[in-house]
C-alpha cells in the first residue's frame, strides 16, 4: 500500500515533521556519547558521559517547542531566503536569533575539565582568564564559564572571546562578553576554548599555533571538532582552507571514526599539545519546520602544553 501524501503545503510539512520527530524520539541518545572502539593509544583517556543529563534534555525540549511555532518558523524560512542573498548563514542566524547550538551542559563541562586536571593545574590562581575562540552567540560560552566558576568559586573569572561575524559580536556584547580582534598580544591565558572552529576557519594551523602561544604553561585548551571531518570556510569563495587541518588526510577514503580521531589528535600533538582527556558528545542545533533538532558527532578534548 502506498503511503498517503497530503496535497497541501502545510499538511506535508506537518506530516514530514511528525515523522522526523518520531524518529528522533526513538533514537538511542546514549549513542551520542559512546564509542565502541576508542583508538588504543588514547583509550585510557576517554571519558564516557553515557547519557544526556537533565540540562541537555531541557535544552532539547526547548528546541522542540521553538520548532513547533509555525508562524515563527515560516518567518525564519522567508527571511533566510531573502537575507542569504547578501549575508552569510552565521550572520542570518545571528540576526534572526535562530540556530543556537549546544555541546555539553555546564555540569558535563565541569566533569570533563576536572578529569582534565584543570583544578590541580590552576589551584594557585586567584584570577582565571578564559578565552573562547569563535564564540558564536555566546550560549555555549556561558555554559562553559558557569562550569569554570563552579570549579574555582573563590577566583575572579575574566572572559574574553573572538568572533568573525559582526552580528554575533553584537550578541556577545549584549551578554557582557568582551570581544577581541586579535589574541596575539595576550599571554598566560588559563583556559582557552575553541569549539567547532578548526573545520570552519581559513587557517586552522595558525589558530592552533596562536593558541599554543597565548596558553599559560599550566593552562588547559578545550577543543571540539565534528567528525567525519569536512572543512568548509563560510566567507571564502572556494570554501577551502589555506591548508587542511590534517595535511595527510586520505580524503578519497571513508575512514572509521577511531582512525579520524587518531589523525585529529596527531595534528594537535604536532603543534605541541598533550591529550589529557577527551569525550564524544552531540553537537546539537535548534530545529526548524523539518524536525525538532539536529546533531553531529563531536569529539571534545582537553589538552595541556
Amino acid at each position: 500500500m502506498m503511503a498517503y501524501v497530503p496535497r497541501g503545503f502545510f499538511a506535508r510539512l506537518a506530516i514530514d515533521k511528525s515523522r522526523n520527530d518520531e524518529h528522533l524520539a526513538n533514537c538511542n541518545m546514549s549513542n551520542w556519547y559512546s564509542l565502541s572502539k576508542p583508538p588504543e593509544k588514547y583509550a585510557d583517556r576517554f571519558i564516557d558521559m553515557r547519557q544526556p543529563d537533565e540540562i541537555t534534555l531541557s535544552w532539547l525540549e526547548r528546541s522542540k517547542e521553538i520548532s513547533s511555532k509555525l508562524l515563527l518558523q515560516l518567518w525564519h524560512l522567508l527571511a533566510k531566503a531573502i537575507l542569504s542573498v547578501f549575508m552569510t548563514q552565521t550572520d542570518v542566524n545571528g540576526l534572526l536569533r535562530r540556530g543556537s547550538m549546544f555541546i555539553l551542559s555546564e555540569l558535563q563541562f565541569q566533569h570533563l575539565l576536572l578529569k582534565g586536571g584543570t583544578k590541580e593545574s590552576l589551584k594557585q590562581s586567584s584570577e582565571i582568564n578564559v578565552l573562547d575562540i569563535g564564540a558564536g552567540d555566546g550560549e555555549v560560552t556561558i555554559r562553559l564559564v558557569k562550569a569554570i566558576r563552579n570549579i574555582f568559586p573563590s577566583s575572579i573569572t575574566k572572559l574574553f572571546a573572538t568572533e568573525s561575524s559582526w552580528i554575533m559580536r553584537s550578541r556577545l556584547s549584549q551578554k557582557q562578553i568582551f570581544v577581541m580582534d586579535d589574541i596575539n598580544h595576550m599571554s598566560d591565558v588559563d583556559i582557552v576554548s575553541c569549539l567547532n572552529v578548526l573545520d570552519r576557519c581559513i587557517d586552522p594551523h595558525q589558530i592552533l599555533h596562536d593558541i599554543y602561544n597565548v596558553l599559560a604553561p599550566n593552562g588547559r585548551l578545550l577543543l571540539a571538532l565534528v567528525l567525519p571531518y569536512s572543512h568548509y570556510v563560510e566567507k571564502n569563495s572556494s570554501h577551502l582552507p589555506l591548508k587542511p587541518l590534517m595535511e595527510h588526510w586520505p580524503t578519497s577514503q571513508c575512514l572509521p571514526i577511531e582512525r579520524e580521531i587518531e589523525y585529529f589528535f596527531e595534528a594537535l600533538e604536532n603543534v605541541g599539545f598533550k591529550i589529557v582527556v577527551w569525550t564524544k558528545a552531540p553537537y546539537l542545533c535548534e530545529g526548524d519546520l523539518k524536525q525538532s533538532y539536529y546533531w553531529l558527532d563531536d569529539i571534545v578534548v582537553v589538552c595541556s602544553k
Side-chain angles (χ1 to χ4, degrees), residues 250-267:
T251 53
S252 60
Q253 302 178 30
C254 182
L255 297 177
I257 189 170
E258 59 268 17
R259 191 70 188 103
E260 289 199 85
I261 293 168
E262 288 179 339
Y263 273 106
F264 173 34
F265 289 176
E266 286 166 7

Side-chain angles (χ1 to χ4, degrees), residues 233-245:
V233 182
E234 190 175 44
K235 294 187 177 181
N236 186 350
S237 59
S238 70
H239 302 305
L240 296 174
L242 295 176
K243 190 165 59 173
L245 174 62

